[in-house]
Amino acid sequence: MIGEQTSIETTAIKTGRGRAYGTFGELLQGVLPGDFNFLVTLPVERYSVCTFSTGSKYNNNLMVTPCHKKKSLQLAKNILTLYNLPLAGLVEIQSDLREGKGLASSTADMIATARAIEACYQIEIPVYQLESMIRSIEPSDGIMHQGVVSYYHREVRLKDKIGPCPRLSILAIDEGGVVDTVSFNHKPNPFSEKNKREYEALLDTLTLALETNDINLLGDVTTRSAELNQLLRPKVNLEKMKIIKETIGGAGIVTAHSGTYIGIIISKEDPEYQTKINNGLEELKGQGFDVDIFHSYEEHSENQEGYGEEINYRSNWRNTNHLVASR
């Protein structure tokens, strides 16, 4: 999670702003022996930004805009109640992250909301406390932790911190539709004990790949994870994407395991990076796909690392969507 610690105060209104990145699906997601559902995060440079404002003009009403961001509203209510703060204010969210696509949009909204309230009231919410509050709302993608982590998303609990995210670009297509996170995580587990042992080995291999910055090895793991996920949420274009990946020399396939996106990984450190990007765009568009390019989150772009860092944010974003009051 990333956020800023600047608040703005006038005689009538106190305001804080927070920001959180999303993910492009997951580097790896599955089930470990012992039936532990887990994922490994792939943070990307697309964000949810929240402005939280409070003051007498809100007349003891807690509201959110856009009005459907009820998970963020519930988290705001939980935080304010826990810290004995007034249940009054406006949670305003602006996001780059499309909903229901596997980009961690709702988790990013909630993390940005928590950051904005922290900044407004100059408080610090321990990560374990934030996880506890999110746990009561929905499974989480683990993006309250910096960098790449392995995470028990159904339990909303950290497994291991692995390290910074490598410098990657993802040539992505959206197969359409939306996926509800809560409903998806209630689906029966289709994986055998053999599959679970394979996921355990893949996690070890992925950890090694990240520690050694071996992007081809990383791509082998992400591709295999996408293949295994066909048992749970098949991607229609997986085989086409694998062929294009081989044609352009991409590192691997990565998928939104509980979403609708699938993409080809290109390392930004590859000497042929721009050629591969151009060739990939040509191949994908030539087959009729609309293509989006995502970039992995790079920690050096922030002023400081870790929970509570100060960042640049998109200031003073406002919109006029209808509000929904907390009840």
Side-chain angles (χ1 to χ4, degrees):
M1 179 178 76
I2 54 180
E4 57 94 305
Q5 296 295 315
T6 301
S7 64
I8 302 169
E9 185 170 358
T10 70
T11 56
I13 301 293
K14 289 175 63 176
T15 299
R17 297 187 180 92
R19 186 176 79 158
Y21 51 63
T23 67
F24 186 89
E26 303 78 22
L27 293 171
L28 174 65
Q29 181 171 329
V31 183
L32 296 172
D35 286 331
F36 291 103
N37 289 267
F38 81 104
L39 57 78
V40 178
T41 56
L42 174 50
V44 293
E45 291 186 340
R46 298 201 184 184
Y47 300 90
S48 287
V49 178
C50 177
T51 301
F52 178 73
S53 304
T54 189
S56 58
K57 82 174 208 175
Y58 294 106
N59 194 28
N60 294 320
N61 291 317
L62 183 62
M63 300 169 287
V64 68
T65 180
C67 62
H68 67 280
K69 301 282 189 180
K70 295 180 182 179
K71 294 174 184 177
S72 295
L73 180 65
Q74 183 60 54
L75 181 66
K77 184 176 181 180
N78 293 351
I79 292 169
L80 296 171
T81 299
L82 179 68
Y83 286 87
N84 198 29
L85 295 166
L87 287 175
L90 175 62
V91 177
E92 297 178 274
I93 295 172
Q94 185 83 18
S95 183
D96 301 330
L97 302 163
R98 297 176 65 195
E99 298 176 6
K101 300 294 183 180
L103 304 179
S105 60
S106 60
T107 301
D109 289 345
M110 287 191 286
I111 301 304
T113 297
R115 275 306 196 199
I117 294 172
E118 283 183 314
C120 180
Y121 283 109
Q122 296 297 293
I123 60 174
E124 291 189 12
I125 306 168
V127 176
Y128 78 87
Q129 188 67 67
L130 182 59
E131 287 176 318
S132 178
M133 287 185 283
I134 291 175
R135 187 177 300 122
S136 68
I137 299 172
E138 70 165 3
S140 167
D141 300 85
I143 56 174
M144 66 287 293
H145 298 279
Q146 191 82 353
V148 178
V149 302
S150 56
Y151 202 75
Y152 297 123
H153 53 286
R154 291 189 180 181
E155 301 174 39
V156 191
R157 179 168 63 89
L158 180 69
K159 184 179 188 302
D160 290 301
K161 294 184 177 181
I162 300 177
C165 192
R167 301 180 64 241
L168 308 174
S169 292
I170 301 143
L171 294 172
I173 64 169
D174 177 11
E175 292 195 337
V178 296
V179 179
D180 178 79
T181 301
V182 175
S183 298
F184 179 85
N185 278 283
H186 281 98
K187 292 182 69 172
N189 175 1
F191 301 114
S192 66
E193 291 302 317
K194 181 180 178 181
N195 293 146
K196 295 170 190 176
R197 290 192 295 273
E198 183 174 4
Y199 277 121
E200 186 173 44
L202 287 169
L203 179 57
D204 289 340
T205 302
L206 180 58
T207 300
L208 175 63
L210 288 162
E211 289 173 346
T212 59
N213 199 37
D214 187 334
I215 305 305
N216 289 325
L217 183 59
L218 177 148
D220 290 343
V221 172
T222 61
T223 301
R224 182 57 183 153
S225 187
E227 291 170 343
L228 287 168
N229 199 60
Q230 295 294 87
L231 295 171
L232 184 59
R233 193 177 195 288
K235 295 295 189 294
V236 174
N237 295 295
L238 175 60
E239 294 305 317
K240 285 183 181 180
M241 295 293 279
K242 287 168 65 177
I243 292 170
I244 295 172
K245 185 266 292 185
E246 291 295 330
T247 300
I248 68 173
I253 299 297
V254 63
T255 191
H257 294 74
S258 60
T260 64
Y261 271 103
I262 184 170
I264 300 170
I265 296 172
I266 310 290
S267 171
K268 289 186 176 181
E269 297 176 2
D270 189 323
E272 299 180 14
Y273 168 79
Q274 195 57 55
T275 298
K276 291 181 179 182
I277 290 289
N278 292 341
N279 289 344
L281 289 170
E282 183 177 355
E283 289 282 342
L284 289 164
K285 290 179 179 179
Q287 295 199 30
F289 292 116
D290 291 327
V291 189
D292 200 353
I293 302 179
F294 289 75
H295 302 284
S296 61
Y297 169 73
E298 297 182 29
E299 292 183 14
H300 65 76
S301 67
E302 307 298 347
N303 296 329
Q304 301 177 34
E305 294 184 4
Y307 188 90
E309 69 202 318
E310 184 176 87
I311 65 164
N312 295 323
Y313 59 85
R314 302 177 185 197
S315 61
N316 298 324
W317 280 7
R318 302 243 174 213
N319 60 53
T320 57
N321 289 7
H322 290 91
L323 309 181
V324 57
S326 173
R327 301 190 190 280

